[in-house]
Amino acid sequence: DYILSKPKHTFEVPMKNWFDSKAFITSMFAKILNHSNLLWEIIDINQVKKMLQEHIDKKKNYSLQLWQILSLALWIKNNDINL
């Protein structure tokens, strides 16, 4: 009965846990930071590098923003988007 009457809730992606791993975040961003593509025409690469370093140094939590940038970069790459 408890399961059937329990209120709905969302599934939370453990972004903070993933992005707290320096090895994970470094390897994922190394793949996109070194490629010149459409992303860097849209987003300031220096700002992304700054956010990434502040996140790694635990000065600020940029998990959500970094996830969004990573998702956009992979979407552009996987869909071969060009201007």
Side-chain angles (χ1 to χ4, degrees):
D1 282 336
Y2 172 73
I3 292 175
L4 296 175
S5 63
K6 186 177 175 182
K8 290 183 179 181
H9 66 279
T10 60
F11 172 75
E12 294 183 23
V13 178
M15 279 188 297
K16 184 171 182 339
N17 295 345
W18 294 340
F19 282 90
D20 277 350
S21 166
K22 185 177 180 178
F24 172 82
I25 197 168
T26 303
S27 69
M28 292 304 290
F29 273 87
K31 294 175 184 175
I32 66 167
L33 287 175
N34 296 323
H35 298 315
S36 175
N37 62 25
L38 174 63
L39 183 66
W40 306 129
E41 294 179 30
I42 300 169
I43 299 174
D44 181 356
I45 191 171
N46 294 319
Q47 185 63 32
V48 173
K49 288 179 179 179
K50 180 182 173 191
M51 288 170 55
L52 187 58
Q53 192 58 54
E54 287 180 5
H55 185 83
I56 290 170
D57 293 342
K58 299 193 184 304
K59 291 181 180 177
K60 194 158 183 181
N61 180 6
Y62 284 114
S63 297
L64 179 60
Q65 293 88 343
L66 294 172
W67 174 255
Q68 292 169 336
I69 293 166
L70 184 59
S71 296
L72 178 60
L74 294 173
W75 181 82
I76 289 170
K77 180 181 178 212
N78 290 335
N79 291 286
D80 199 27
I81 306 295
N82 296 302
L83 284 178

